[in-house]
Amino acid sequence: MKQIFPAFPLVFFLFFFQCTPALSQSPTPAPAPPALVPAPPAMAPASGSTDVTAILGKVGHFTTFIRLLKATQLADQLNTQLYKSNQGLTVFAPTDDAFSNLKLGMLNSLTDQQKYQLVQFHVLPSFFSVSQLQTASNPLRTQAGGSDGQFPFNVTTSGNQVNITTDMVNATVADTVYTDKQLAVYEVDKVLLPHGLFVPPSPPPAPLKPKKRPASDSTQSNDTPHVQDDTSDGIHLSQHTLRATSSIVLVLAAFI
């Protein structure tokens, strides 16, 4: 019994030494799932700088033009066009003062289609810098006329000043609001008005009716009632009276 007890502490120490490392080790954590990367939106513009209404809103005096862009849904259309097309766009934005100078009630009298075309008339379907406007060939096709070029306008220059001439108004490019290699936005002092948008083309003249042929002389003689001439009858009566009197005088002279 005395020999067993001294060996017992040694065995217990060896057992504890072997078990301690296993107990101190913590379990390996499971790998975390990979993070999900959100897909980019299908029709998102390339950058916030190509938002036409946001650019105009920063300036502060294009409220009416911005309202027309949104009401006609052309704001989203232009932003999408900038995202898809490589040709770019040129926008001529009239100020609020320019709209206030229109004839009273003119803007409200337009139909939705006319308002849509009016805003499109202020947009060129390609990018034009100021130097390119000064050397552009007239007339310039606007988006209002489509590929047919139904509603164009002319650009003229006087020194460094750029003027826009339609068949109704003469406007001046007052300032450059924004420009890059894709979008150019210019401030104009008048609302650009195309004549054909407000005044419909006059209808062709009606064909002339054939003239009635004049009635013949014979027809007129048959249809026209005979009017007796009292003067001629009086003359004939006087002649007969004169002849009768002459005869009586001659007879009386023969008997005397």
Side-chain angles (χ1 to χ4, degrees), residues 4 9 12 22 32 42 45 51 60 69 82 93 132 139 144-145 160 170 180 189 203 225 234:
I4 295 175
F12 180 79
D51 189 339
L69 283 169
L82 285 170
Q132 288 174 331
N160 294 327
N170 294 322
D180 58 16
D189 62 347

Side-chain angles (χ1 to χ4, degrees), residues 86-149:
N86 295 324
Q87 295 181 350
L89 291 173
T90 303
V91 179
F92 297 95
T95 62
D96 292 335
D97 290 339
F99 279 100
S100 64
N101 290 329
L102 290 177
K103 185 179 179 181
L104 185 63
M106 180 179 185
L107 192 60
N108 293 331
S109 66
L110 300 179
T111 64
D112 292 340
Q113 178 64 21
Q114 288 175 325
K115 291 178 181 178
Y116 180 83
Q117 290 182 315
L118 177 63
V119 179
Q120 283 194 316
F121 190 64
H122 291 74
V123 181
L124 301 180
S126 54
F127 172 81
F128 281 89
S129 64
V130 174
S131 60
Q132 288 174 331
L133 286 175
Q134 293 175 340
T135 58
S137 299
N138 290 315
L140 295 181
R141 179 175 63 90
T142 67
Q143 291 205 157
S147 58
D148 297 334

